[in-house]
Amino acid sequence: ASLLLMASIMVTVGLCRRLTRRRLRSHQRLCIFLLEMFSTFQICACTNELCLLSNVEPKPHTALTLTYGFTVLHGLTLTGSTCNPCGTLQPMWGGGISVKMGGLKIGAQFMAAVLARMFMHFIWSLEMAEPHFGALSQSCGNPMQTTELQAFCIELLFSVVFQLTVLRVESVNPKYKVHLIALLITMLVYAGGNLTGAIFNPALAFSLHANCFYDKFLSYSLVYWIAPSLGKFLILYVS
């Protein structure tokens, strides 16, 4: 049921993206906003569901396999979208897009993060699958299983590694690039998922752990917003 749910989300988002391109081609800003929102919604909604499957046996093989598989699917179906505020900072810093357009994309990403969380909470309330039972009773999932300083350093390091890899594989054939990125994300999740969740995406972090931001805003904004953003600026400065 969970796999069918995620597949349905991807199909629906694909149809929405195609319809947006056809009907709103003349309205550039609205088109860009909706495309970014739909794409980020897909990643946030599917990742919320994947988190519920993290305890499926055999652990961690099932969760890592699903992470790799769905990351490949996201890469193949969401071309042209960044779905990550940190990824939007690069063209803004380099002058590729205006600050207004960058802010529009980041706004779309965080709106999608909130909508995805609301949607998944509604789906979980229906209890259509076993992993959904009791999912809404959790407050803060507490993804940080280490000190704030170590969590900050981990998310910073992972952001640097991820963004640097993305820059290095830009010239690679897209068919192979999505697999390289998916393999890297899976490795990072395996290496640090039990410590911080290995998210390095501010919008996704807010969608997954909104309750934690409400409870400990300063700690979680430092680790899951400032650290990956700082990692992106370090890459831009070095490159």
Side-chain angles (χ1 to χ4, degrees), residues 104-126:
L104 187 71
K105 286 189 173 186
I106 293 176
Q109 291 158 1
F110 274 99
M111 179 177 291
V114 174
L115 292 175
R117 183 170 181 83
M118 294 172 60
F119 173 76
M120 294 309 298
H121 276 210
F122 169 73
I123 295 296
W124 293 343
S125 68
L126 302 178

Side-chain angles (χ1 to χ4, degrees), residues 63-114:
L64 293 175
T65 300
L66 291 174
T67 298
Y68 175 82
F70 276 93
T71 303
V72 170
L73 292 175
H74 292 323
L76 293 174
T77 59
L78 302 178
T79 54
S81 299
T82 57
C83 308
N84 187 338
C86 296
T88 307
L89 292 175
Q90 180 181 352
M92 287 177 61
W93 183 268
I97 61 175
S98 65
V99 175
K100 182 180 293 185
M101 185 62 67
L104 187 71
K105 286 189 173 186
I106 293 176
Q109 291 158 1
F110 274 99
M111 179 177 291
V114 174

Side-chain angles (χ1 to χ4, degrees), residues 148 212-224 226:
E148 291 181 13
C212 298
F213 282 91
Y214 299 149
D215 295 341
K216 303 177 181 178
F217 178 79
L218 291 179
S219 298
Y220 279 79
S221 60
L222 180 68
V223 172
Y224 294 105
I226 297 178

Side-chain angles (χ1 to χ4, degrees), residues 16-98:
C16 291
R17 281 167 54 87
R18 180 176 299 181
L19 184 63
T20 299
R21 287 196 180 98
R22 288 181 178 179
R23 299 295 179 85
L24 299 175
R25 188 176 301 174
S26 59
H27 301 80
Q28 183 182 12
R29 290 186 179 179
L30 180 59
C31 182
I32 291 175
F33 179 88
L34 290 177
L35 289 175
E36 194 67 34
M37 186 183 72
F38 288 139
S39 301
T40 308
F41 177 90
Q42 174 177 310
I43 289 181
C44 291
C46 290
T47 306
N48 268 279
E49 186 69 15
L50 281 174
C51 288
L52 295 184
L53 303 179
S54 59
N55 293 322
V56 174
E57 297 292 346
K59 296 189 297 184
H61 305 85
T62 301
L64 293 175
T65 300
L66 291 174
T67 298
Y68 175 82
F70 276 93
T71 303
V72 170
L73 292 175
H74 292 323
L76 293 174
T77 59
L78 302 178
T79 54
S81 299
T82 57
C83 308
N84 187 338
C86 296
T88 307
L89 292 175
Q90 180 181 352
M92 287 177 61
W93 183 268
I97 61 175
S98 65

